[in-house]
Structures are given as C-alpha cells and as structure tokens.
Amino acid sequence: TKGAEAGLQENLKQLVDRGYKAHWLSADEAAAQLGTDTWHGAIMDTRGGTVQPFGYSRGLCRAAQQEGAQVFGASPVSEVKREGGKWVVRTPRGSVRADRVLLATNAYTGFHSPGLNDQLARSIIPAASFLVATEPLSDNLQKTILPEGQCFSDSRKFLLYGRKDAAGRMLLGGRGFLREPKSRRDFKHVEKALRQAYPMLSDLKFTHHWSGRIAVTRDYLPHVHEPEPGLMMALGYTGRGVALATALGGAMGTYAATGDKGHLPLPVTPITPIPFHGARAIYAGAIFAWYRALDALAN
Ligand SMILES: Cc1cc2nc3c(=O)[nH]c(=O)nc-3n(C[C@H](O)[C@H](O)[C@H](O)COP(=O)(O)OP(=O)(O)OC[C@H]3O[C@@H](n4cnc5c(N)ncnc54)[C@H](O)[C@@H]3O)c2cc1C
C-alpha cells in the first residue's frame, strides 16, 4: 500500500547499509516484475530464490542419509527421558539411546504427542498459513506474471506471498486459522485475494489447497534452549525457517559434536512459556480482528 512505502524504504536502507544487493522498484517497475499493478512499489532483493519445500526436505534427508544418518518416518516420539546416563527417545515402534537429542518440532511441538514438551509447546503460537494453486497459466500469462520466476510477499499485517511453480501454476498463500482447514471453503479468502491481486487469473480453476503451521514467538526470533545438558531445542522461525532452520540446524549439529556454544548464532535461553497460552484462541482472535482492520484501512 502507499502507506507502507515509508517502512519499506527504511527496510531497504538497512539492507543496502549492510551491503546487500537490493533496490527500489517504482509502481511501473514493480508491475512489470509482478505482472499486475496491484502493488504501489516494491523492494527487489536479488539474493532471493524459490524452492519446492517438500523436494527440499527430501533432498536434505537424502544428503543426511548419504552421510550415514538413519531416518525414521511415521515414528512420533512419545517420550524423551534420561536413563542410565543417556537420553532415551521412545516411539510406538522402538526407541533410540543417545548422548544428545535435538528437538526440532517447531510449530508441531506437542501436535503428534500432546503433553510431550508442554513447556516448549507453550513458548510459541502455532499459526496456520493457507495456500492455493491455480491450474497452469497460459503461455501469454507466463510471460507477463513473474516472468523470471520471482517470488514475492507484501507488507500487510496478514501478508500475502506468491510464486509460480515448475508447472506454471500460480501459488498464493495467506492467513489461516488457528485450527486446521476443514474443507475447501476455508480457503475462500485466499482464492479471493488471488483474484483481487491478479484479476486476469479470475477464470482459472483452483486445483490445489493446502496448509501448514508456523511457530510464532513473542519476539519474532528463533529460540535455542537446552533445559538439561544434552537436551537441545531449536524452534520459532515465525514463517521464515526454510533457510533459517537449515542454517541453525548446521550450527546445532556443530554444537552437538563439539560442545562449543561459540558455534551457535543465538544465545541459549530458558524456555519462556507465553502467558495465558491456553487462551490464545481468544487473544489471537482479537489480534486477527485488529490486523484485519489495519489492513482494510491501509488499502
Ligand atoms: C504454508 C507455509 C508457508 C511457508 N513459507 C515459507 C517461506 O516462504 N519461507 C520460509 O523461509 N519459511 C516458510 N515457512 C516456514 C517454514 O516452513 C518453517 O519455518 C520450517 O519448516 C521450520 O523447519 P523445522 O524443521 O524447524 O520444522 P518443520 O519443518 O515444521 O518440521 C517439524 C517436524 O517435526 C515433526 N514432529 C513434531 N512432533 C513430533 C514428534 N512427537 N515425533 C516426531 N516428529 C515430530 C513434524 O511432523 C515435522 O515434520 C512456511 C510455512 C508454512 C506452513
């Protein structure tokens, strides 16, 4: 929005001051990159790129296996306990003993095994983000919308983010609810946002709908904890964890191998549960309403 430009210009200044290659796009320049004149200007950050996150996860998994790691899917951990000088991690089908354990369950902490790590689960707000994808765009639209495979996010409180996928579908993500979606009807607001932002795509069918959870922390920063020696935790990427969690994972691995906290980019802090966490649906509802009002006023 027009009102957001001052804040974005300040963000841009901070990026440039730190030596990053980023520059301002006027409304016309932004429209040429985005393929729509919905937005009034933009920051172009040329460091960016896109990945298919599931493919990326599988690639990381394969790389770890090639280095000798064993990966067990569909094995929800139900207990992590200190026994005989080791950590024992129990699942319904077996257990693992280890000197060090890293809990990296992010927004799904306590989701598969309620009650496990209750303190940790209460240190984040697990918010859902909902996405939709259209059928593939025509060749003409491919040439005008995000022609170089750019991705974007906007500046509203409930930000919209989008890109095209390898098949040329338009993907748009936006606000979800605190609960999982129950039907396609729950995605109507994201479909509407896509049609508003890209009116030329209004005739396309929505072929895919999905959602996932992000872990929001009170300070919007990731947190590292080690409440007992060898029991390590890293979480709270507030929707930015694809690169961040990968980088922090590497640092946590080095810390686990060396015991040297100097390898960690963040301090190890005590777990701090969010006050009145059980009532989060109520206060998140109030915050959602307030954010919606701010977005409506800004548009
Ligand atoms: C819709 C959506 C869009 C996003 N877009 C972006 C983006 O554009 N850029 C970006 O940087 N980030 C984005 N994110 C955020 C990013 O996906 C996360 O920050 C990142 O995945 C965090 O990585 P992680 O490994 O810590 O946690 P996750 O990837 O969430 O993995 C946690 C894993 O722990 C498992 N788990 C939980 N409990 C147990 C248990 N008891 N036993 C065993 N396993 C358990 C879960 O099944 C899950 O597989 C997005 C997230 C969503 C949901």
Side-chain angles (χ1 to χ4, degrees), residues 189-210:
H189 61 290
V190 190
E191 293 181 353
K192 185 175 161 197
L194 191 143
R195 290 199 185 100
Q196 280 174 345
Y198 285 93
M200 66 295 277
L201 301 184
S202 292
D203 292 338
L204 292 186
K205 289 195 188 76
F206 290 99
T207 53
H208 297 76
H209 300 75
W210 70 104

Side-chain angles (χ1 to χ4, degrees), residues 75-77 104-106 108 112-113 116 129 131 161 212-214 237 239-243 245:
S75 308
V77 172
T105 47
N106 207 40
Y108 295 89
H112 297 298
S113 311
L116 178 72
S129 187
L131 286 109
Y161 53 96
R213 289 178 168 213
I214 62 167
Y237 307 99
R240 294 160 300 169
V242 171

Side-chain angles (χ1 to χ4, degrees), residues 24-231:
W24 184 252
L25 298 178
S26 67
D28 286 347
E29 289 165 337
Q33 299 277 345
L34 292 158
T36 178
D37 58 8
T38 297
W39 287 282
H40 304 283
I43 296 173
M44 170 60 95
D45 182 343
T46 50
R47 296 168 304 159
T50 68
V51 289
Q52 208 286 357
F54 185 49
Y56 180 58
S57 304
R58 287 199 294 195
L60 284 177
C61 184
R62 213 173 301 129
Q65 285 172 319
Q66 278 163 7
E67 293 297 319
Q70 286 181 285
V71 179
F72 301 96
S75 308
V77 172
S78 50
E79 190 180 42
V80 181
K81 214 174 167 185
R82 193 87 182 145
E83 271 178 23
K86 294 262 185 195
W87 287 103
V88 180
V89 175
R90 292 214 161 77
T91 79
R93 291 189 293 163
S95 58
V96 175
R97 291 167 66 81
D99 291 326
R100 290 185 190 79
V101 175
L102 171 59
L103 301 186
T105 47
N106 207 40
Y108 295 89
T109 304
F111 185 74
H112 297 298
S113 311
L116 178 72
N117 307 117
D118 196 38
Q119 288 277 96
L120 191 63
R122 289 194 289 124
S123 72
I124 51 137
I125 300 283
S129 187
F130 287 15
L131 286 109
V132 298
T134 65
E135 57 191 321
L137 313 191
S138 67
D139 288 347
N140 274 345
L141 288 169
Q142 297 280 3
K143 284 182 199 142
T144 54
I145 296 177
L146 306 171
E148 287 159 33
Q150 307 93 322
C151 59
F152 67 87
S153 63
D154 73 8
S155 60
R156 67 190 87 192
K157 294 281 180 198
F158 287 121
L159 62 82
L160 294 173
Y161 53 96
R163 66 180 175 94
K164 288 187 305 194
D165 73 0
R169 300 181 190 94
M170 185 71 191
L171 275 54
L172 191 84
R175 150 182 86 80
F177 309 127
L178 283 178
R179 61 166 174 79
E180 302 300 306
K182 290 182 180 150
S183 73
R184 281 182 56 165
R185 271 205 306 270
D186 283 341
F187 294 85
K188 285 286 171 211
H189 61 290
V190 190
E191 293 181 353
K192 185 175 161 197
L194 191 143
R195 290 199 185 100
Q196 280 174 345
Y198 285 93
M200 66 295 277
L201 301 184
S202 292
D203 292 338
L204 292 186
K205 289 195 188 76
F206 290 99
T207 53
H208 297 76
H209 300 75
W210 70 104
S211 76
R213 289 178 168 213
I214 62 167
V216 181
T217 56
R218 280 176 87 186
D219 55 8
Y220 303 108
L221 291 172
H223 295 169
V224 174
H225 311 296
E226 192 173 9
E228 293 178 60
L231 181 60

